[in-house]
Amino acid sequence: MILVTGATGTIGSHLVPLLVDSGAEVRAMSRQQGFHADFEDAGSLKRAVDGVDTVFLLSAPGKTAEHDLALLDVAQHVRKIVKISAIHTGTPGFELTSSWHLPGEEALRSSGLMWTILRPTTFASNALAWLPQIEAGEPIPSYCGDGTNGVVDPRDIAAVAAKALLTDDHDKQTYTLTGPQLLSTPQQVEILSEVLGTTLTTVDISPDQASTSMLAQGMSPESVDFMLKGFEIVRNGGNAVVTDHVERVLGWPPATFKNWAQDTLNTLAAKS
C-alpha cells in the first residue's frame, strides 16, 4: 500500500495514475477528494498511514516542516518515504525554503527508514498563471529579467517519484530535478508564442512594482518578502541549474518546456 499525500495536486494528479497503472495499491490522501486527512489532525494522519508500506510526502509551503514532522511521527512503522523538497535546500542564501524542507529532510535521514528526497526546480506549470494575460492579449509580467531556471515538467517529477516508490534502486538518494534547458521568462513566453501561433510579449516588473502589486492583492508582507528574494536570486543567476538526475532515474531525457506547453495547452483547448 502506497500513501500519496497531496494526491490531487500538480505532482500527485500525475503520480496516482502512474502507480495505479503499475498495479500498486494506492491510498490517495487529500483534503478535497479521496482519503480525507489533515496534517494538523494526528488522528486522521494515523488512519492515513494505517496498513501503509510506503509514503509519498508532499507538504504545503509555509507549514512544510510542521507537516513533514507530523507525518513522520505517526509513520515510523512504514518502510520507505519519498519526500518532495526544493532545489538548493540547505544552501546559503536559501534560508527560507530550507527552513521549510530541511527539518523534514534531516528527520527522514535519521529516521531509520528507507528514503528518497526529490528537490525539483521551477515547475513548467507555473506558466499557467499567465493564462489571464494570454487570454486578454496583455503582456506577461517578467519579474526576473534575463535570469533563468531549469524549468521542469511536473510529469517528470511524478515519474521519478514513481520509480523511487516502486523500486529500491533510489533508496537513500537525493535528486535535484530540472528540465533539459535554462529558460528566462521571455524565452518561455517566446516558446508559448510559437506553440499558440500568436505573438505574446512580456513586461519587466521592478521589485518595487512587484511589492506594491502583491501587497495590494492581499499577500502578507512575509510572503511578499519571500517572493522578492526568490525573484532576486533568479535575476542574479542563482537558479541557473540543470542536472541529469531525471534522465539518470528514468532512462530518458526530461521533457522540454515546449513539450509541456504543447501537451498542456492542447489538453486545455480540448476541454474548453
Side-chain angles (χ1 to χ4, degrees), residues 108-213:
L108 191 51
R109 289 191 179 100
S110 63
S111 66
L113 308 177
M114 288 296 101
W115 54 266
T116 306
I117 293 169
L118 307 181
R119 293 175 172 175
T121 187
T122 302
F123 289 15
S125 55
N126 289 358
L128 294 174
W130 302 333
L131 286 178
Q133 287 85 9
I134 292 173
E135 292 169 352
E138 298 173 350
I140 291 167
S142 177
Y143 299 98
C144 305
D146 293 326
T148 58
N149 299 287
V151 184
V152 64
D153 189 328
R155 296 174 299 184
D156 284 334
I157 304 172
V160 170
K163 290 283 189 182
L165 291 162
L166 294 169
T167 76
D168 297 330
D169 299 340
H170 308 288
D171 290 354
K172 297 189 177 181
Q173 298 296 313
T174 300
Y175 295 120
T176 295
L177 305 181
T178 76
Q181 60 193 144
L182 293 173
L183 294 171
S184 65
T185 295
Q187 288 172 322
Q188 288 179 263
V189 171
E190 184 178 349
I191 291 169
L192 291 176
S193 294
E194 181 184 348
V195 170
L196 292 169
T198 188
T199 300
L200 302 175
T201 61
T202 60
V203 58
D204 287 330
I205 306 295
S206 71
D208 285 345
Q209 289 173 317
S211 176
T212 300
S213 174

Side-chain angles (χ1 to χ4, degrees), residues 155-156 159-161 163 170 245-254:
R155 296 174 299 184
D156 284 334
V160 170
K163 290 283 189 182
H170 308 288
H245 294 183
V246 169
E247 184 168 8
R248 189 188 305 176
V249 175
L250 300 182
W252 58 81

Side-chain angles (χ1 to χ4, degrees), residues 52-70:
V52 164
D53 171 78
T54 306
V55 175
F56 173 73
L57 176 56
L58 186 152
S59 303
K63 290 196 171 183
T64 306
E66 176 185 331
H67 291 176
D68 282 355
L69 297 177

Side-chain angles (χ1 to χ4, degrees), residues 33-116:
Q33 302 174 28
F35 189 96
H36 294 269
D38 189 323
F39 282 104
E40 297 179 25
D41 179 345
S44 72
L45 277 185
K46 288 178 182 177
R47 291 190 294 274
V49 299
D50 184 41
V52 164
D53 171 78
T54 306
V55 175
F56 173 73
L57 176 56
L58 186 152
S59 303
K63 290 196 171 183
T64 306
E66 176 185 331
H67 291 176
D68 282 355
L69 297 177
L71 188 134
L72 284 166
D73 188 54
V74 300
Q76 289 302 307
H77 66 282
V78 308
R79 186 176 63 87
K80 181 193 300 187
I81 294 179
V82 175
K83 170 178 161 51
I84 291 290
S85 183
I87 191 170
H88 303 302
T89 293
T91 302
F94 294 83
E95 282 77 16
L96 183 55
T97 51
S98 293
S99 73
W100 294 351
H101 290 288
L102 197 57
E105 286 195 10
E106 291 176 339
L108 191 51
R109 289 191 179 100
S110 63
S111 66
L113 308 177
M114 288 296 101
W115 54 266
T116 306

